[in-house]
Amino acid sequence: MNTLVETMLNQHLKARGIQDPFVLDAMAKVPREQFIPPELRQFAYDDRPLPIGHNQTISQPYIVAAMIQLANITPESEVLDIGTGCGYMAAVIATIARHVCTLECVPELAELAAVNFAALGINNIDARVSDGSLGWPEDRQFDAILVSCAPEEAPQPLLNQLKANGKMIIPIGRSGMHQMLTSYHKTIEGKIEVNEHIPVRFVPMV
């Protein structure tokens, strides 16, 4: 493990409460530089978002780790990732979970993500171009749903695709204004429990 990765794990993740061993192992294994434009790769392990084109960004490592930890993803999980972008979040999730479905509305970014997945030999991701607010096109349910773009309220189609005891982690709030990383837990009885966690800033859901 190189020094930059160790610094990310110790200073940006563990020191800020990331303790899930699945998350830490996946963050150590997935090379973040693979998902970043060549001219920015020197900043790959800085704890900040970076531009990836098309007015989109790759989220900072801490936010990626925090979202996955909040979702309680395990090796048995089936996960839906909304807002594929360059594919980094999906790749980290896929290192833990059994299978990942991911949706991106910008075709060029979906193509970039597919190239990145192939370069790393990741074969447990099903990626499509689609409106993420509508959920996965087929009638399917997931143990966890992670959303990397901010709507003003949780889309009902996504809540419908949560399994019982599943969790959705999503930033809620208006673009450019106060957003909160929020978890929606569907109980065994089908009720939705909502908890707010940390202030964040994501691109708007479109």
Side-chain angles (χ1 to χ4, degrees), residues 72-130:
N72 298 327
I73 293 171
T74 73
E76 299 304 312
S77 297
E78 300 277 341
V79 182
L80 176 60
D81 170 56
I82 303 295
T84 314
C86 60
Y88 179 66
M89 171 87 84
V92 176
I93 297 170
T95 304
I96 304 170
R98 175 162 49 191
H99 191 263
V100 180
C101 293
T102 185
L103 295 173
E104 172 56 54
C105 66
V106 179
E108 293 84 356
L109 287 176
E111 290 175 10
L112 172 62
V115 170
N116 290 332
F117 300 150
L120 296 176
I122 301 172
N123 56 18
N124 61 332
I125 296 178
D126 188 356
R128 300 189 189 179
V129 178
S130 184

Coordinates of all heavy atoms in Angstrom, one line a residue, residues 72-130:
N72 N -24.6 0.1 5.3 CA -24.4 -1.2 5.9 C -24.3 -2.3 4.8 O -24.9 -3.4 4.9 CB -25.6 -1.6 6.9 CG -25.7 -0.7 8.0 OD1 -24.6 -0.2 8.5 ND2 -26.9 -0.4 8.5
I73 N -23.5 -2.0 3.8 CA -23.3 -3.0 2.7 C -22.4 -4.1 3.1 O -21.4 -3.9 3.8 CB -22.7 -2.2 1.5 CG1 -23.8 -1.2 1.0 CG2 -22.3 -3.2 0.4 CD1 -23.2 -0.3 -0.1
T74 N -22.8 -5.3 2.8 CA -22.1 -6.5 3.1 C -21.8 -7.3 1.8 O -22.3 -7.0 0.7 CB -22.9 -7.4 4.1 OG1 -23.9 -8.1 3.3 CG2 -23.4 -6.6 5.2
P75 N -21.0 -8.4 1.9 CA -20.8 -9.3 0.7 C -22.0 -9.9 0.1 O -22.0 -10.4 -1.0 CB -19.8 -10.3 1.2 CG -19.1 -9.6 2.3 CD -20.1 -8.8 3.0
E76 N -23.1 -9.9 0.8 CA -24.4 -10.5 0.3 C -25.3 -9.4 -0.3 O -26.4 -9.8 -0.8 CB -25.1 -11.2 1.5 CG -24.4 -12.3 2.1 CD -24.0 -13.4 1.1 OE1 -24.8 -13.8 0.3 OE2 -22.8 -13.7 1.0
S77 N -24.9 -8.2 -0.3 CA -25.8 -7.1 -0.7 C -26.0 -7.0 -2.2 O -25.1 -7.1 -2.9 CB -25.3 -5.7 -0.1 OG -25.3 -5.7 1.3
E78 N -27.2 -6.6 -2.6 CA -27.6 -6.2 -3.9 C -27.8 -4.7 -3.8 O -28.7 -4.2 -3.0 CB -28.8 -6.9 -4.4 CG -28.7 -8.4 -4.5 CD -28.1 -8.9 -5.8 OE1 -28.0 -8.1 -6.7 OE2 -27.6 -10.0 -5.8
V79 N -27.0 -3.9 -4.6 CA -27.0 -2.5 -4.4 C -27.3 -1.7 -5.7 O -26.9 -2.1 -6.8 CB -25.6 -2.0 -3.9 CG1 -25.6 -0.5 -3.6 CG2 -25.2 -2.8 -2.6
L80 N -28.1 -0.6 -5.5 CA -28.4 0.3 -6.6 C -27.6 1.6 -6.4 O -27.7 2.2 -5.3 CB -29.9 0.6 -6.7 CG -30.3 1.6 -7.8 CD1 -29.9 1.1 -9.2 CD2 -31.8 1.8 -7.7
D81 N -26.8 2.0 -7.4 CA -26.0 3.2 -7.3 C -26.6 4.2 -8.3 O -26.6 3.9 -9.5 CB -24.6 2.9 -7.6 CG -23.7 4.1 -7.8 OD1 -23.6 5.0 -6.9 OD2 -23.0 4.2 -8.9
I82 N -27.0 5.4 -7.9 CA -27.6 6.4 -8.8 C -26.6 7.5 -9.0 O -26.2 8.1 -8.0 CB -28.9 6.9 -8.2 CG1 -29.9 5.8 -7.9 CG2 -29.5 8.0 -9.1 CD1 -30.4 5.1 -9.1
G83 N -26.3 7.8 -10.3 CA -25.3 8.8 -10.6 C -24.0 8.2 -10.7 O -23.0 8.5 -10.0
T84 N -23.8 7.3 -11.7 CA -22.5 6.6 -11.9 C -21.3 7.5 -12.0 O -20.3 7.2 -11.4 CB -22.6 5.7 -13.2 OG1 -23.9 5.0 -13.2 CG2 -21.5 4.7 -13.2
G85 N -21.5 8.6 -12.8 CA -20.3 9.4 -13.0 C -19.2 8.7 -13.7 O -19.4 7.9 -14.6
C86 N -18.0 8.8 -13.1 CA -16.9 8.1 -13.7 C -16.8 6.6 -13.2 O -15.9 5.9 -13.6 CB -15.6 8.8 -13.3 SG -15.3 9.0 -11.5
G87 N -17.7 6.3 -12.3 CA -17.7 4.9 -11.8 C -17.1 4.6 -10.5 O -17.1 3.4 -10.1
Y88 N -16.5 5.6 -9.8 CA -15.7 5.3 -8.6 C -16.5 4.7 -7.5 O -16.2 3.7 -6.9 CB -15.0 6.5 -8.2 CG -14.1 6.3 -6.9 CD1 -13.0 5.5 -6.9 CD2 -14.5 7.0 -5.7 CE1 -12.3 5.3 -5.8 CE2 -13.7 6.8 -4.6 CZ -12.6 6.0 -4.6 OH -11.9 5.8 -3.5
M89 N -17.7 5.3 -7.2 CA -18.5 4.8 -6.1 C -19.0 3.4 -6.4 O -18.9 2.5 -5.5 CB -19.7 5.7 -5.9 CG -20.8 5.2 -5.0 SD -20.5 5.6 -3.3 CE -21.2 7.2 -3.2
A90 N -19.4 3.2 -7.6 CA -19.9 1.8 -8.0 C -18.8 0.8 -7.8 O -19.0 -0.3 -7.4 CB -20.4 1.8 -9.4
A91 N -17.5 1.2 -8.2 CA -16.4 0.3 -8.1 C -16.1 -0.1 -6.7 O -15.8 -1.2 -6.3 CB -15.2 0.9 -8.8
V92 N -16.1 0.9 -5.8 CA -15.9 0.6 -4.4 C -17.0 -0.3 -3.8 O -16.7 -1.2 -3.1 CB -15.8 2.0 -3.6 CG1 -15.6 1.7 -2.1 CG2 -14.6 2.8 -4.1
I93 N -18.2 0.0 -4.1 CA -19.3 -0.8 -3.7 C -19.2 -2.2 -4.2 O -19.4 -3.2 -3.4 CB -20.7 -0.2 -4.1 CG1 -20.9 1.1 -3.5 CG2 -21.8 -1.2 -3.7 CD1 -22.1 1.9 -4.1
A94 N -18.8 -2.4 -5.5 CA -18.7 -3.7 -6.1 C -17.6 -4.5 -5.4 O -17.6 -5.8 -5.5 CB -18.5 -3.6 -7.6
T95 N -16.6 -3.9 -4.8 CA -15.5 -4.6 -4.1 C -16.1 -5.3 -2.9 O -15.5 -6.3 -2.4 CB -14.4 -3.6 -3.8 OG1 -14.0 -3.0 -5.0 CG2 -13.2 -4.3 -3.2
I96 N -17.2 -4.7 -2.4 CA -17.8 -5.3 -1.2 C -19.0 -6.2 -1.5 O -19.1 -7.4 -1.1 CB -18.3 -4.2 -0.2 CG1 -17.2 -3.3 0.2 CG2 -18.9 -4.8 1.0 CD1 -17.7 -2.0 0.9
A97 N -19.9 -5.7 -2.3 CA -21.2 -6.3 -2.5 C -21.2 -7.4 -3.5 O -20.3 -7.6 -4.3 CB -22.2 -5.2 -3.0
R98 N -22.3 -8.2 -3.5 CA -22.4 -9.3 -4.5 C -22.7 -8.8 -5.9 O -22.1 -9.2 -6.8 CB -23.6 -10.2 -4.1 CG -23.9 -11.3 -5.1 CD -24.7 -12.4 -4.5 NE -25.9 -11.9 -3.8 CZ -26.7 -12.7 -3.0 NH1 -26.4 -14.0 -2.9 NH2 -27.7 -12.2 -2.4
H99 N -23.5 -7.7 -6.0 CA -23.9 -7.2 -7.3 C -24.3 -5.7 -7.2 O -24.9 -5.3 -6.2 CB -25.0 -8.0 -7.9 CG -25.2 -7.6 -9.4 ND1 -26.1 -6.8 -9.8 CD2 -24.5 -8.1 -10.5 CE1 -26.0 -6.7 -11.2 NE2 -25.1 -7.4 -11.6
V100 N -23.9 -4.9 -8.2 CA -24.2 -3.5 -8.2 C -24.9 -3.2 -9.5 O -24.4 -3.6 -10.6 CB -23.0 -2.6 -8.1 CG1 -23.4 -1.1 -8.1 CG2 -22.2 -2.9 -6.8
C101 N -26.1 -2.5 -9.4 CA -26.7 -1.9 -10.6 C -26.5 -0.4 -10.5 O -26.7 0.2 -9.4 CB -28.2 -2.2 -10.6 SG -28.6 -3.9 -10.8
T102 N -26.1 0.2 -11.6 CA -25.8 1.7 -11.5 C -26.4 2.4 -12.7 O -26.4 1.9 -13.9 CB -24.3 1.9 -11.4 OG1 -24.0 3.3 -11.2 CG2 -23.5 1.4 -12.6
L103 N -26.9 3.6 -12.5 CA -27.6 4.4 -13.5 C -26.9 5.7 -13.7 O -26.6 6.4 -12.7 CB -29.1 4.6 -13.1 CG -29.9 3.3 -13.1 CD1 -31.3 3.6 -12.6 CD2 -30.0 2.7 -14.5
E104 N -26.7 6.2 -14.9 CA -26.2 7.5 -15.2 C -27.0 8.1 -16.4 O -27.3 7.4 -17.3 CB -24.7 7.3 -15.6 CG -24.0 8.6 -16.1 CD -24.1 9.7 -15.2 OE1 -23.7 9.6 -14.0 OE2 -24.6 10.8 -15.6
C105 N -27.3 9.4 -16.2 CA -28.1 10.0 -17.3 C -27.3 10.7 -18.4 O -27.8 11.1 -19.4 CB -29.1 11.0 -16.7 SG -28.2 12.5 -15.9
V106 N -25.9 10.8 -18.2 CA -25.1 11.4 -19.2 C -24.4 10.2 -20.0 O -23.5 9.5 -19.4 CB -24.0 12.3 -18.6 CG1 -23.1 12.9 -19.7 CG2 -24.7 13.4 -17.8
P107 N -24.7 10.0 -21.2 CA -24.1 8.8 -21.9 C -22.6 8.8 -21.9 O -22.0 7.7 -21.8 CB -24.7 9.0 -23.4 CG -26.0 9.7 -23.2 CD -25.7 10.7 -22.1
E108 N -22.0 10.0 -22.1 CA -20.5 10.0 -22.2 C -19.9 9.6 -20.9 O -18.8 8.9 -20.9 CB -20.0 11.4 -22.5 CG -20.4 11.9 -23.9 CD -21.8 12.5 -24.0 OE1 -22.6 12.5 -23.0 OE2 -22.2 12.9 -25.1
L109 N -20.5 9.9 -19.7 CA -20.0 9.5 -18.5 C -20.2 8.0 -18.3 O -19.3 7.3 -17.7 CB -20.6 10.3 -17.3 CG -20.1 11.7 -17.2 CD1 -20.9 12.4 -16.1 CD2 -18.6 11.8 -16.9
A110 N -21.3 7.5 -18.7 CA -21.6 6.0 -18.6 C -20.6 5.3 -19.4 O -20.1 4.2 -19.0 CB -23.0 5.7 -19.1
E111 N -20.2 5.8 -20.6 CA -19.1 5.1 -21.4 C -17.8 5.2 -20.7 O -17.0 4.2 -20.7 CB -19.0 5.8 -22.7 CG -20.2 5.6 -23.6 CD -20.1 6.4 -24.9 OE1 -19.1 7.0 -25.2 OE2 -21.1 6.4 -25.7
L112 N -17.5 6.3 -20.0 CA -16.2 6.4 -19.3 C -16.2 5.4 -18.1 O -15.2 4.7 -17.9 CB -16.1 7.8 -18.7 CG -14.9 8.1 -17.8 CD1 -13.6 7.9 -18.5 CD2 -15.0 9.5 -17.2
A113 N -17.3 5.3 -17.4 CA -17.4 4.4 -16.3 C -17.2 2.9 -16.8 O -16.4 2.1 -16.2 CB -18.7 4.5 -15.6
A114 N -17.8 2.6 -17.9 CA -17.6 1.2 -18.5 C -16.2 0.9 -18.8 O -15.7 -0.2 -18.5 CB -18.5 1.1 -19.7
V115 N -15.5 1.9 -19.4 CA -14.0 1.7 -19.6 C -13.3 1.5 -18.4 O -12.4 0.6 -18.3 CB -13.5 3.0 -20.4 CG1 -12.0 2.9 -20.5 CG2 -14.1 3.0 -21.8
N116 N -13.6 2.3 -17.3 CA -12.9 2.1 -16.0 C -13.2 0.8 -15.4 O -12.3 0.1 -14.9 CB -13.3 3.2 -15.1 CG -12.8 4.6 -15.5 OD1 -11.7 4.7 -16.1 ND2 -13.5 5.7 -15.1
F117 N -14.4 0.3 -15.5 CA -14.7 -1.0 -14.9 C -14.0 -2.1 -15.6 O -13.4 -3.0 -15.0 CB -16.2 -1.3 -15.0 CG -17.1 -0.3 -14.3 CD1 -18.4 -0.1 -14.7 CD2 -16.7 0.3 -13.1 CE1 -19.2 0.8 -14.1 CE2 -17.5 1.2 -12.4 CZ -18.8 1.5 -12.9
A118 N -13.9 -2.0 -17.0 CA -13.2 -3.0 -17.8 C -11.7 -3.0 -17.5 O -11.1 -4.1 -17.3 CB -13.5 -2.8 -19.2
A119 N -11.2 -1.8 -17.3 CA -9.7 -1.7 -17.0 C -9.3 -2.4 -15.7 O -8.2 -2.9 -15.6 CB -9.3 -0.3 -17.0
L120 N -10.3 -2.4 -14.8 CA -10.0 -3.0 -13.4 C -10.5 -4.4 -13.3 O -10.4 -5.0 -12.3 CB -10.6 -2.1 -12.3 CG -10.0 -0.7 -12.2 CD1 -10.7 0.1 -11.2 CD2 -8.5 -0.8 -11.9
G121 N -11.1 -4.9 -14.4 CA -11.6 -6.3 -14.4 C -12.8 -6.5 -13.4 O -13.1 -7.6 -12.9
I122 N -13.6 -5.4 -13.3 CA -14.8 -5.5 -12.4 C -16.0 -6.1 -13.2 O -16.4 -5.5 -14.2 CB -15.2 -4.1 -11.8 CG1 -14.0 -3.6 -11.0 CG2 -16.4 -4.2 -10.9 CD1 -14.2 -2.2 -10.5
N123 N -16.5 -7.2 -12.8 CA -17.5 -7.8 -13.6 C -18.9 -8.1 -12.9 O -19.7 -8.8 -13.3 CB -17.0 -9.2 -14.2 CG -16.5 -10.1 -13.1 OD1 -16.8 -9.9 -11.9 ND2 -15.7 -11.1 -13.5
N124 N -19.0 -7.4 -11.7 CA -20.3 -7.6 -11.0 C -21.1 -6.3 -10.9 O -21.8 -6.0 -10.0 CB -20.1 -8.1 -9.6 CG -19.2 -7.2 -8.7 OD1 -18.4 -6.5 -9.2 ND2 -19.4 -7.3 -7.4
I125 N -21.0 -5.5 -12.0 CA -21.7 -4.2 -12.1 C -22.5 -4.3 -13.4 O -22.0 -4.6 -14.5 CB -20.8 -3.0 -12.2 CG1 -20.0 -2.9 -10.9 CG2 -21.5 -1.7 -12.5 CD1 -19.0 -1.7 -10.8
D126 N -23.8 -4.0 -13.3 CA -24.7 -3.8 -14.4 C -25.0 -2.3 -14.6 O -25.6 -1.7 -13.7 CB -26.0 -4.5 -14.2 CG -26.9 -4.6 -15.4 OD1 -26.5 -3.9 -16.4 OD2 -28.0 -5.2 -15.4
A127 N -24.4 -1.6 -15.6 CA -24.5 -0.2 -15.8 C -25.4 0.2 -17.0 O -25.3 -0.5 -18.0 CB -23.1 0.4 -16.0
R128 N -26.3 1.2 -16.8 CA -27.1 1.6 -17.8 C -27.3 3.1 -17.8 O -27.0 3.8 -16.8 CB -28.5 1.0 -17.7 CG -28.6 -0.5 -17.7 CD -30.0 -1.0 -17.7 NE -30.0 -2.5 -17.5 CZ -31.1 -3.2 -17.5 NH1 -32.3 -2.6 -17.6 NH2 -31.1 -4.5 -17.3
V129 N -27.7 3.6 -19.0 CA -28.0 5.1 -19.1 C -29.5 5.2 -18.9 O -30.3 4.6 -19.7 CB -27.6 5.6 -20.5 CG1 -28.0 7.1 -20.7 CG2 -26.1 5.4 -20.7
S130 N -29.9 6.0 -17.9 CA -31.3 6.1 -17.6 C -31.5 7.2 -16.5 O -30.5 7.7 -15.9 CB -31.9 4.8 -17.0 OG -33.3 4.9 -16.8

